[in-house]
Amino acid sequence: MQLVIEAKPYLMQDPHPPGLSSILSSEGPLCEVEQWDSDEPIPSKELERGVAGAHGLLCLLSDSVDKRLLDIAGANLKVISTLSVGVDHLALDEIKKRGIRVGYTPDVLTDATAELAVSLLLTTCRRLPEAIEEVKNGGWTSWKPLWMCGYGLTHSTVGILGLGRIGQAIARRLKPFGVQRFLYTGRQPKPQEAAELQAEFVSTSQLAAESDFIVVACSLTPATKGLCNKDFFQRMKKTAVFINISRGDVVNQEDLYQALASGQIAAAGLDVTTPEPLPTNHPLLTLKNCVILPHIGSATYKTRNTMSLLAANNLLAGLRGEPMPSELKL
């Protein structure tokens, strides 16, 4: 049985030299492994070569597993395991049609991503990158009443687009800061989850209009693609802060740039963009009121190691024909 592992597992020592190795079970070798031994993305030609005839594939969210790649893989491919909770890089309709099982890594990155979201929100609303730069370039001269003022969370209204696992975890961490009111939107109300936070289910337009802080934590779907656009930003308060930790395509970045540059909204913090990485000459990078991170929501050592182990165990269980620890139901 052949297995292609696209990503080197984080923090796990590889006892075999790069290339082809074996994964052993009590009954002998379970499968042979061809590993791309680098943190840099595997070139598409290499992935296509390696996946041809493979029974399993472990991939990253940066890898597009589309119809073409599935055709190249052929009928042997039975299991795909992705080192992510998001699955928008997988052609799920095609995968389902071919009877391929999919493993993913939900839950294990919830806390790390929620911590990052809160960090990004505070960094953005209190203008920390600007303040650090002022210290470095000599802009810090004396104490001034309104210099480097930002916006605080106490008595504020926070709107969350998508009250899933991560959205709830973000709200729980923000509540002790003195948030007065939580609003949320999504496909449908979640009364049980919302009760703990006393969160109100509202329309997207109401959430945009009434929130002091907006955190995008929804999945990328056809319904959410481009959801945060010119109309959305025009409804927001001029003092509002916008945070996105979901997927870049949920936001129309040209509309966001105009909203920030014109003062339509106060600031934005992004951990996700379109494309990734964002070109260094992108207009958003010229704005002081836009903080952009390189998609590091789950980037803690513990979380990435746990994700790696879960992804590997999903793959091995699928190859054995056993229940996966975390299988995506197609």
Side-chain angles (χ1 to χ4, degrees):
M1 186 176 289
Q2 185 183 0
L3 168 69
V4 177
I5 293 186
E6 190 276 318
K8 183 173 182 178
Y10 293 84
L11 305 183
M12 297 176 66
Q13 297 300 314
D14 185 358
H16 304 287
L20 203 64
S21 58
S22 296
I23 291 180
L24 302 178
S25 70
S26 57
E27 291 144 9
L30 174 63
C31 58
E32 292 182 328
V33 178
E34 184 168 353
Q35 177 178 327
W36 176 251
D37 194 13
S38 171
D39 279 340
E40 294 303 314
I42 185 171
S44 57
K45 292 293 183 187
E46 282 294 311
L47 181 55
E48 290 169 6
R49 181 196 59 75
V51 80
H55 295 83
L57 170 67
L58 194 159
C59 63
L60 304 181
L61 58 81
S62 54
D63 302 310
S64 177
V65 182
D66 55 14
K67 183 179 184 299
R68 171 181 162 78
L69 189 69
L70 294 169
D71 286 341
I72 292 170
N76 277 352
L77 188 62
K78 300 299 180 189
V79 188
I80 297 171
S81 179
T82 180
L83 191 76
S84 66
V85 63
V87 292
D88 46 282
H89 57 300
L90 306 179
L92 295 180
D93 289 342
E94 281 293 326
I95 289 168
K96 181 178 180 179
K97 197 185 300 180
R98 297 165 194 243
I100 299 170
R101 297 173 67 188
V102 175
Y104 69 137
T105 59
D107 301 322
V108 297
L109 50 69
T110 298
D111 288 337
T113 305
E115 290 170 3
L116 191 280
V118 174
S119 301
L120 181 56
L121 188 153
L122 292 171
T123 296
T124 304
C125 72
R126 294 301 300 270
R127 302 171 64 185
L128 299 191
E130 286 182 76
I132 292 168
E133 190 57 34
E134 290 294 286
V135 172
K136 291 180 177 179
N137 66 20
W140 181 19
T141 55
S142 63
W143 188 88
K144 303 162 192 174
L146 296 180
W147 186 61
M148 284 289 106
C149 283
Y151 298 94
L153 281 159
T154 306
H155 304 308
S156 69
T157 295
V158 172
I160 299 178
L161 288 169
L163 198 67
R165 288 181 294 261
I166 294 173
Q168 293 169 51
I170 292 168
R172 288 191 196 101
R173 285 161 172 77
L174 289 176
K175 194 173 182 180
F177 283 92
V179 173
Q180 188 171 48
R181 186 180 177 214
F182 284 103
L183 307 177
Y184 76 99
T185 189
R187 287 189 296 261
Q188 59 191 17
K190 295 187 171 183
Q192 282 188 310
E193 293 86 345
E196 174 194 347
L197 304 162
Q198 297 180 306
E200 306 168 44
F201 182 74
V202 298
S203 66
T204 302
S205 58
Q206 183 180 344
L207 183 143
E210 297 183 10
S211 299
D212 299 301
F213 300 91
I214 293 175
V215 182
V216 182
C218 58
S219 301
L220 176 62
T221 67
T224 61
K225 186 171 183 177
L227 178 65
C228 301
N229 55 18
K230 182 178 180 180
D231 179 67
F232 183 92
F233 296 125
Q234 285 180 340
R235 292 177 186 274
M236 287 174 61
K237 300 177 181 180
K238 291 192 180 233
T239 55
V241 174
F242 177 83
I243 303 295
N244 184 17
I245 52 88
S246 63
R247 286 291 185 267
D249 278 339
V250 176
V251 178
N252 183 312
Q253 289 180 174
E254 290 183 16
D255 292 347
L256 176 60
Y257 172 80
Q258 293 300 329
L260 290 166
S262 67
Q264 180 65 49
I265 65 174
L270 311 175
D271 185 44
V272 288
T273 60
T274 303
E276 292 183 357
L278 196 67
T280 55
N281 63 350
H282 195 281
L284 283 171
L285 293 171
T286 66
L287 301 175
K288 287 186 176 182
N289 59 343
C290 187
V291 178
I292 300 179
L293 303 179
H295 202 155
I296 56 170
S298 64
T300 68
Y301 290 113
K302 181 178 179 181
T303 298
R304 293 286 171 86
N305 195 40
T306 303
M307 289 171 67
S308 298
L309 290 170
L310 179 55
N313 286 328
N314 281 337
L315 196 60
L316 294 174
L319 291 172
R320 294 188 190 102
E322 299 170 355
M324 293 183 187
S326 292
E327 181 168 1
L328 183 69
K329 301 303 179 185
L330 300 177

